[in-house]
Amino acid sequence: MKQWFENLSDREKQLVIGAGIVFAIGLFFQLIWGPVNSRLDKAELAAKNKQTTLEWVNEKLTEYKQAKGNQKNVASGSLSQIVNSAARRANISLARMQPQGDTLQVQIEEIEFNALIRWLAELTQNQGLTIEAIDISEADKTGAVRVRRLQVSK
């Protein structure tokens, strides 16, 4: 290769050197600058997305804290009394209630899913109870569920 280059005229040598320089610059941009720039753009986009998510989470956290501060916590009486009266107000018939220390286990044979969700919201938001565990299965009727075990506590 060296001998081939030595046999070229001065003008051809300059053209080969110039083409080599242009090729090296193009190779640098293609193999190094382009991927680095692309990764930088992706990292900036990811950072913007994470910042947006963080702002959303902070906004929702503020809303949650305000809602939790506005929580009524009107629960007075025993746990079974609170659950029983809330069920009566929601027209829910409880199949079984069993106290277990500081918690109460409730069983419901069949209830509409939406009614269950409204009742659980009533228990947690207005009565200040905590849902410790819930075991739900599908009922025969469409849109209804069976609550095998609902464990609530104050």
Side-chain angles (χ1 to χ4, degrees), residues 1-56:
M1 181 113 161
K2 186 176 179 182
Q3 183 181 11
W4 169 81
F5 185 73
E6 303 266 334
N7 289 336
L8 296 176
S9 67
D10 289 339
R11 185 173 179 169
E12 289 173 336
K13 286 180 184 177
Q14 289 174 351
L15 283 172
V16 169
I17 290 172
I21 291 172
V22 169
F23 179 73
I25 291 172
L27 199 60
F28 170 78
F29 277 100
Q30 195 70 19
L31 296 178
I32 297 172
W33 187 261
V36 168
N37 200 23
S38 174
R39 286 189 193 125
L40 181 63
D41 289 343
K42 287 180 182 177
E44 286 175 354
L45 182 61
K48 285 180 184 176
N49 287 342
K50 288 181 181 180
Q51 181 65 32
T52 303
T53 303
L54 178 63
E55 290 170 0
W56 180 84

Side-chain angles (χ1 to χ4, degrees), residues 139-154:
D140 297 331
K141 184 176 156 188
T142 303
V145 293
R146 283 188 189 94
V147 179
R148 291 187 224 172
R149 182 176 71 103
L150 168 64
Q151 189 169 345
V152 296
S153 65
K154 277 191 177 181

Side-chain angles (χ1 to χ4, degrees), residues 39-142:
R39 286 189 193 125
L40 181 63
D41 289 343
K42 287 180 182 177
E44 286 175 354
L45 182 61
K48 285 180 184 176
N49 287 342
K50 288 181 181 180
Q51 181 65 32
T52 303
T53 303
L54 178 63
E55 290 170 0
W56 180 84
V57 166
N58 285 333
E59 178 184 316
K60 296 303 175 189
L61 180 63
T62 303
E63 289 176 15
Y64 172 75
K65 285 180 180 178
Q66 288 174 349
K68 190 164 178 103
N70 294 339
Q71 202 173 44
K72 295 178 185 171
N73 287 339
V74 293
S76 62
S78 72
L79 194 55
S80 59
Q81 288 173 336
I82 296 168
V83 171
N84 217 356
S85 63
R88 224 177 299 117
R89 284 191 305 273
N91 293 326
I92 297 172
S93 82
L94 304 175
R96 182 174 166 209
M97 288 188 352
Q98 181 179 2
Q100 291 189 336
D102 292 343
T103 64
L104 178 70
Q105 282 195 3
V106 179
Q107 190 175 18
I108 304 171
E109 287 301 319
E110 186 172 86
I111 182 173
E112 278 188 41
F113 181 75
N114 291 336
L116 173 66
I117 297 300
R118 284 191 297 273
W119 184 59
L120 292 176
E122 162 73 19
L123 290 176
T124 58
Q125 294 172 358
N126 297 336
Q127 302 300 322
L129 301 182
T130 303
I131 307 297
E132 299 289 330
I134 188 165
D135 185 9
I136 299 174
S137 66
E138 185 178 359
D140 297 331
K141 184 176 156 188
T142 303

